[in-house]
Amino acid sequence: MNDVIWLVKYTLKRTFRRKINFLLYFGTPLAAILLSLFAAGGNPVKEVRIGIVNEDHGRITDDTIHFLKNIDHLSVKSVKLSAVDDQITSQKVDGVLIFRQGFSESVQHGQPRPIELVSLKGAEITTFIKSYLHEYIDHLATLGRLANGNNDLFWKMYERYQHAPFRLAIHSLSDTSKQKAITYQTIGYLLMIMLMSAGNLTEIIIKEREERTYSRLLTTPIQARTYVLSNVVVNVLVITVQIIVTFVAMKNIFHIYPNVPMWQMALVLFVFSLSAIGLALITVMLANSSTSAGALQPLITVPTCMLAGCFWPVELMPKFLQKAAYFLPQRWALDLLVKLQEGRSFGSLYLHVLILLAFALTFFLIAVYKFNRSQQSGQFV
């Protein structure tokens, strides 16, 4: 144990002797957060501008227009029918609603005439408007069908509907989707940073072999396995600090609230870090030199992170790639995070944790096997 502690101190001292490594290992997670915020953008709430052509001027039509004017983030103005094209093409309005003559009467009889909606922006605008109008007009048409042509009964029910004794209280809730998206993106970038950090720290093994430092260490009672174990401990320490720095910055500097307890996210990332270290060990064991190891690590890290959805939602990829992504530990870590954000309990997702541990165990076993083969052939430390 004393040898491991001494080697850990030695490796940490050697690694952070260069001050730029502090920025490399602990500054890049902050860059990942900034990149996530930049990718999310401001996305302020957009005001939808609607023009109204009223050829009917009936009471129901007037009340419907009044209903539209009371919708948040929707501005309404009157437009002449002859000016519709000009208003649309000049983008003075996002869309125009045309109430044809007889609309009020058609609603009164339970068979509402279609409301024409003209827009060049497509579903972005039409879906928003239709979602409000369909429900409102459908209620009024239901009254018309119940009245069955009895005008007095219809207007009596209409008055009750418009002046109902109960009112719907509307309270705005904070939109957490953006926070969740930023968290997902930040963790995605952090997974890649953890893989690259583990690769760089593990690469020290090859560099010390090339510099004959390890040969000198072997002249002491220190064993090769102890040396590799100390490198794993250094990896765990550095990656743990990376996780802490990321969470502290997210909460206290950037005020990002992931809707998941921090300890659960930290545990997920810690379990993933074991896979990252195991994968880095395999890469180092396969490489013949620090140059080949440095070239091999990005070739493994970047494509697998892309496939796992670290840079964008995996749902954007074809189905067969989505299925292939589940052969990667990054995908399981991100999937676990998403399910926690959806409200699933951590205990119900134990299978995800076990799979991440299985990835780590598999990688370590492969690395140990390769290490033993190399030891026997005298090719490696």
Side-chain angles (χ1 to χ4, degrees):
M1 181 57 72
N2 289 335
D3 292 339
V4 173
I5 295 173
W6 183 86
L7 285 168
V8 168
K9 290 180 179 177
Y10 164 77
T11 306
L12 289 174
K13 185 177 179 181
R14 172 185 169 140
T15 301
F16 294 104
R17 186 168 52 200
R18 299 177 62 194
K19 303 303 179 188
I20 194 172
N21 281 340
F22 281 98
L23 184 63
L24 177 65
Y25 289 111
F26 307 129
T28 45
L30 302 182
I33 299 175
L34 287 173
L35 190 59
S36 301
L37 290 170
F38 178 76
N43 292 329
V45 177
K46 184 180 178 182
E47 188 84 6
V48 177
R49 300 159 300 169
I50 291 295
I52 298 289
V53 177
N54 187 356
E55 293 186 327
D56 182 59
H57 297 291
R59 181 181 174 183
I60 294 176
T61 301
D62 292 342
D63 287 345
T64 303
I65 296 173
H66 180 72
F67 164 75
L68 292 172
K69 289 180 178 177
N70 288 329
I71 296 176
D72 290 338
H73 311 303
L74 181 68
S75 64
V76 177
K77 72 173 185 179
S78 297
V79 173
K80 292 183 179 179
L81 183 61
S82 59
V84 169
D85 292 342
D86 178 65
Q87 293 284 321
I88 293 289
T89 56
S90 62
Q91 297 186 357
K92 292 179 180 177
V93 295
D94 298 310
V96 174
L97 287 169
I98 303 176
F99 292 87
R100 296 294 184 184
Q101 188 174 8
F103 175 75
S104 293
E105 187 176 355
S106 67
V107 174
Q108 186 177 342
H109 289 89
Q111 299 295 330
R113 296 181 60 177
I115 303 172
E116 297 177 33
L117 175 55
V118 183
S119 175
L120 294 179
K121 296 186 177 180
E124 178 185 356
I125 299 301
T126 57
T127 303
F128 174 72
I129 300 300
K130 287 178 180 177
S131 63
Y132 283 98
L133 275 179
H134 277 177
E135 183 177 1
Y136 182 78
I137 299 300
D138 186 59
H139 288 166
L140 299 184
T142 301
L143 297 180
R145 287 191 290 271
L146 291 174
N148 196 24
N150 188 331
N151 289 336
D152 292 337
L153 178 60
F154 173 81
W155 288 114
K156 189 175 181 180
M157 290 190 295
Y158 185 84
E159 288 294 337
R160 287 184 178 178
Y161 177 75
Q162 294 292 344
H163 303 91
F166 57 86
R167 283 287 180 268
L168 180 65
I170 300 176
H171 301 280
S172 298
L173 299 176
S174 59
D175 183 6
T176 61
S177 60
K178 186 177 178 180
Q179 296 277 328
K180 291 179 179 177
I182 293 174
T183 301
Y184 178 92
Q185 200 69 73
T186 300
I187 298 302
Y189 291 140
L190 182 60
L191 295 182
M192 185 188 70
I193 292 170
M194 291 166 67
L195 285 166
M196 297 183 75
S197 298
N200 290 335
L201 290 168
T202 310
E203 195 179 314
I204 293 174
I205 297 174
I206 291 185
K207 289 180 178 176
E208 293 197 336
R209 185 190 64 175
E210 293 173 342
E211 296 169 357
R212 306 295 181 187
T213 304
Y214 180 73
S215 300
R216 293 194 293 273
L217 288 173
L218 281 186
T219 60
T220 68
I222 296 175
Q223 297 182 352
R225 291 180 178 80
T226 305
Y227 176 76
V228 175
L229 177 61
S230 71
N231 187 275
V232 173
V233 174
V234 170
N235 267 285
V236 171
L237 290 175
V238 172
I239 291 177
T240 301
V241 175
Q242 278 185 338
I243 295 171
I244 294 172
V245 168
T246 303
F247 286 178
V248 170
M250 286 177 64
K251 183 178 181 181
N252 299 314
I253 299 177
F254 299 101
H255 303 292
I256 299 172
Y257 301 100
N259 295 302
V260 177
M262 287 293 186
W263 72 266
Q264 293 183 359
M265 286 179 58
L267 185 57
V268 172
L269 292 175
F270 179 77
V271 174
F272 172 79
S273 71
L274 301 178
S275 296
I277 297 168
L279 189 59
L281 283 172
I282 293 175
T283 306
V284 167
M285 299 300 171
L286 294 175
N288 296 322
S289 64
S290 59
T291 303
S292 60
L296 190 59
Q297 284 162 3
L299 290 177
I300 296 175
T301 300
V302 176
T304 56
C305 286
M306 293 171 65
L307 181 60
C310 292
F311 306 143
W312 48 70
V314 73
E315 291 77 14
L316 297 179
M317 298 190 299
K319 290 292 183 184
F320 74 96
L321 289 180
Q322 293 183 33
K323 293 178 180 177
Y326 283 100
F327 289 95
L328 300 168
Q330 298 101 306
R331 178 69 246 143
W332 287 98
L334 290 171
D335 195 54
L336 179 51
L337 171 67
V338 170
K339 284 183 166 52
L340 288 173
Q341 287 183 323
E342 291 173 350
R344 299 275 296 274
S345 67
F346 192 82
S348 66
L349 299 170
Y350 68 92
L351 185 61
H352 284 65
V353 178
L354 291 177
I355 291 174
L356 284 173
L357 288 173
F359 271 112
L361 180 62
T362 303
F363 291 153
F364 275 112
L365 288 176
I366 294 173
V368 169
Y369 171 76
K370 181 62 180 174
F371 176 74
N372 289 333
R373 290 286 302 269
S374 300
Q375 283 284 88
Q376 292 171 5
S377 60
Q379 295 174 348
F380 197 68
V381 295

